[in-house]
Amino acid sequence: MLSSKVRLAILALFVNVVSLQVPQASAQTTCPADLPAGVPCPQEAWQTVSIEHQDRMARLQRLAKGRQGFSFYEESVSPAEHGLKDFPAVILCSGVQF
């Protein structure tokens, strides 16, 4: 398992990357009128964190299926902990140990 210092460094890097990519909270949250039929409505990054995390974990578990020696862990960082004012969601972190 990774040491807590390594996990914190990875988490800090992830939070920094997310903070660079997150649009302002006041950005568009409704579908544009000219959106073609069948195209999903754009969402803010903070609105899809859980969906992306679940997808990531499902892909990792599929990759590891039938192989021994893989274990997964998940951690979360609350808005109070990450301090990103324009990202009002829990940040979910996943890891693989092999």
Side-chain angles (χ1 to χ4, degrees):
M1 185 142 196
L2 297 174
S3 72
S4 52
K5 284 185 180 182
V6 171
R7 277 199 255 160
L8 277 175
I10 292 169
L11 181 60
L13 177 62
F14 177 76
V15 169
N16 286 332
V17 169
V18 167
S19 68
L20 294 173
Q21 297 174 352
V22 174
Q24 297 298 314
S26 62
Q28 177 179 332
T29 57
T30 58
C31 288
D34 60 348
L35 191 68
V39 175
C41 184
Q43 294 186 335
E44 302 292 338
W46 63 267
Q47 293 173 306
T48 62
V49 170
S50 179
I51 295 167
E52 292 173 13
H53 177 73
Q54 291 169 2
D55 179 61
R56 182 179 312 108
M57 289 305 295
R59 285 184 283 121
L60 289 170
Q61 289 170 349
R62 276 195 314 268
L63 285 169
K65 189 175 184 178
R67 294 185 175 97
Q68 294 183 356
F70 287 92
S71 62
F72 302 94
Y73 63 91
E74 300 175 61
E75 295 183 17
S76 61
V77 182
S78 72
E81 292 172 311
H82 63 62
L84 302 170
K85 65 179 179 151
D86 295 328
F87 202 89
V90 172
I91 295 176
L92 302 165
C93 304
S94 52
V96 181
Q97 179 181 352
F98 37 132

PDB file of all heavy atoms in Angstrom, residues 21 25 45 47 67 91:
ATOM      1  N   GLN A  21      -9.064  22.859 -14.290  1.00  0.00           N
ATOM      2  CA  GLN A  21     -10.022  22.493 -15.313  1.00  0.00           C
ATOM      3  C   GLN A  21     -11.456  22.856 -14.964  1.00  0.00           C
ATOM      4  O   GLN A  21     -12.327  22.747 -15.807  1.00  0.00           O
ATOM      5  CB  GLN A  21      -9.952  20.992 -15.565  1.00  0.00           C
ATOM      6  CG  GLN A  21      -8.620  20.548 -16.103  1.00  0.00           C
ATOM      7  CD  GLN A  21      -8.514  19.052 -16.212  1.00  0.00           C
ATOM      8  OE1 GLN A  21      -9.378  18.314 -15.758  1.00  0.00           O
ATOM      9  NE2 GLN A  21      -7.460  18.586 -16.836  1.00  0.00           N
ATOM     10  N   ALA A  25     -18.538  28.349 -11.043  1.00  0.00           N
ATOM     11  CA  ALA A  25     -19.804  27.776 -10.609  1.00  0.00           C
ATOM     12  C   ALA A  25     -20.988  28.469 -11.263  1.00  0.00           C
ATOM     13  O   ALA A  25     -22.051  27.905 -11.397  1.00  0.00           O
ATOM     14  CB  ALA A  25     -19.921  27.840  -9.087  1.00  0.00           C
ATOM     15  N   ALA A  45     -18.162  20.207 -14.418  1.00  0.00           N
ATOM     16  CA  ALA A  45     -17.283  19.111 -13.995  1.00  0.00           C
ATOM     17  C   ALA A  45     -17.690  18.561 -12.632  1.00  0.00           C
ATOM     18  O   ALA A  45     -17.697  17.352 -12.421  1.00  0.00           O
ATOM     19  CB  ALA A  45     -15.836  19.581 -13.978  1.00  0.00           C
ATOM     20  N   GLN A  47     -20.517  18.255 -11.381  1.00  0.00           N
ATOM     21  CA  GLN A  47     -21.771  17.511 -11.421  1.00  0.00           C
ATOM     22  C   GLN A  47     -21.572  16.064 -11.881  1.00  0.00           C
ATOM     23  O   GLN A  47     -22.469  15.252 -11.725  1.00  0.00           O
ATOM     24  CB  GLN A  47     -22.765  18.206 -12.350  1.00  0.00           C
ATOM     25  CG  GLN A  47     -23.216  19.563 -11.825  1.00  0.00           C
ATOM     26  CD  GLN A  47     -24.059  20.315 -12.831  1.00  0.00           C
ATOM     27  OE1 GLN A  47     -23.640  20.517 -13.965  1.00  0.00           O
ATOM     28  NE2 GLN A  47     -25.249  20.690 -12.420  1.00  0.00           N
ATOM     29  N   ARG A  67      -7.441 -11.847 -12.423  1.00  0.00           N
ATOM     30  CA  ARG A  67      -6.025 -11.727 -12.064  1.00  0.00           C
ATOM     31  C   ARG A  67      -5.913 -11.596 -10.552  1.00  0.00           C
ATOM     32  O   ARG A  67      -6.713 -10.923  -9.925  1.00  0.00           O
ATOM     33  CB  ARG A  67      -5.413 -10.507 -12.740  1.00  0.00           C
ATOM     34  CG  ARG A  67      -5.368 -10.640 -14.243  1.00  0.00           C
ATOM     35  CD  ARG A  67      -4.644  -9.457 -14.858  1.00  0.00           C
ATOM     36  NE  ARG A  67      -4.503  -9.626 -16.284  1.00  0.00           N
ATOM     37  CZ  ARG A  67      -5.327  -9.096 -17.174  1.00  0.00           C
ATOM     38  NH1 ARG A  67      -6.339  -8.367 -16.790  1.00  0.00           N
ATOM     39  NH2 ARG A  67      -5.129  -9.300 -18.462  1.00  0.00           N
ATOM     40  N   ILE A  91     -14.679  15.120  -3.924  1.00  0.00           N
ATOM     41  CA  ILE A  91     -13.775  14.564  -4.943  1.00  0.00           C
ATOM     42  C   ILE A  91     -13.468  13.131  -4.534  1.00  0.00           C
ATOM     43  O   ILE A  91     -13.025  12.871  -3.427  1.00  0.00           O
ATOM     44  CB  ILE A  91     -12.472  15.384  -5.050  1.00  0.00           C
ATOM     45  CG1 ILE A  91     -12.776  16.791  -5.549  1.00  0.00           C
ATOM     46  CG2 ILE A  91     -11.481  14.677  -5.966  1.00  0.00           C
ATOM     47  CD1 ILE A  91     -11.567  17.702  -5.583  1.00  0.00           C
TER      48      ILE A  91
END
